[in-house]
Amino acid sequence: MKRFIAITRKVTLDYERQPYRRCGRSGLLLPAVSLGLWHNFGEGKPVESQRAILHKALDLGITHFDIADRYGPPIGAAEAAFGRIFPASLRDEVVVTTKGSNPMWDGPYGKGNSRKHLLATLDRSLARLGLDHVDIFYLHRDDEDTPLEEQAATLDHMVRTGRVLYAGVSNFSPERTAQIARLLRGLGTPLLVHQPPYSLLNRGIEDRLLGVLEAEGAGCVVYSPLAQGLLTDRYLDGIPADSRAAEGRFLTADRVTPEVLAFVRALAGIAAGRGQTVAQLALAWALRDPRVTSVLVGASSPEQLEANVAAVDNLDFTDDELAAIDRAAKEAGVAA
């Protein structure tokens, strides 16, 4: 089903371009590939470029936009950009998320998971977004200095006051995830989703977290499925001069080791046999587990976003392909 939405040009919202997956045992469906606004939505990025990426996302069936209070630079810029570009007429067509916990202003109340900070930072986020509520609010990280009961009660309060529809956590350990899920369930506000990092170079959630989420009925939206760009064709011949690794921006050159490059080159061969790029292979691989609801990707251009979403055109893996991927990782010594 396609809908045409008039913004500054005709935008196609194509619900059939990619599969939608249920988030845990909730009623919420999310696209397999979602857009994260961590990069490329701060100052120094042309507004027209940002608008083009967001419009292309709608064209590609992306209705889930992941933001955080601190995303920029400067902090808050990503939320403000989204608020400027997306008019109120689209509100019911998209899932908008944001996060708290981050250092946002000076003083004892400017960070952490106290009720004081979280309610204040949510209000500021809503003002920047130009919204009266967000669909999902995440605790961006655990705060062991704040009782977990207070963190859960604050999420519950956000939902009950209508400023948040669903509660989520990010970067929590399996143990603390299970604890806060039980607390939230007792309050009547189930934990909807956890957002951890996950990729072919970071498989830690397979050990316990995915099992906890399945038991608790929570979804899993993963970030950094391309390992900050390492799992792409860009590094097959070393470190490009204009890459994140060369600039030390979210990815340092010391992570581009010979072992990692050997693994990525092996993946390139497997991907070619599937008719995919390395990035498309990596995204499809992360989605192979039905417990993963969606993968978050960033984009510096509409073309890059379109290429990433094309991963959904081939999500099936043979046993031989999965064995070859695991064997390549073991031989390179980069993943379990």
Side-chain angles (χ1 to χ4, degrees), residues 134-149:
V134 291
D135 296 285
I136 303 171
F137 184 88
Y138 289 94
L139 302 181
H140 209 164
R141 56 187 54 81
D142 196 0
D143 175 8
E144 295 189 358
D145 292 329
T146 300
L148 207 56
E149 292 81 0

Side-chain angles (χ1 to χ4, degrees), residues 141-197:
R141 56 187 54 81
D142 196 0
D143 175 8
E144 295 189 358
D145 292 329
T146 300
L148 207 56
E149 292 81 0
E150 180 177 345
Q151 299 183 51
T154 303
L155 287 172
D156 176 66
H157 174 78
M158 290 175 173
V159 172
R160 291 184 184 278
T161 55
R163 289 178 290 171
V164 170
L165 299 188
Y166 297 98
V169 298
S170 180
N171 300 306
F172 273 52
S173 69
E175 296 80 8
R176 296 278 281 186
T177 299
Q179 291 172 29
I180 198 168
R182 288 193 290 269
L183 289 169
L184 284 166
R185 187 165 57 249
L187 293 168
T189 298
L191 177 68
L192 174 80
V193 63
H194 189 296
Q195 188 179 128

Side-chain angles (χ1 to χ4, degrees), residues 19 21 32-33 198-200 222 225-226 231 271 274 276-290 292 294-295 297 307-317 321-322 325:
R21 295 182 167 195
V33 178
Y198 183 50
S199 74
L200 278 160
V222 302
L226 300 180
L231 293 170
R274 290 169 50 83
Q276 292 181 317
T277 65
V278 172
Q280 290 164 351
L281 167 68
L283 295 173
W285 177 90
L287 288 163
R288 82 200 185 287
D289 192 317
V292 174
S294 183
V295 294
V297 300
N308 284 336
V309 170
V312 305
D313 295 334
N314 186 5
L315 294 177
D316 296 325
F317 286 86
E321 287 172 333
L322 292 174
I325 290 169

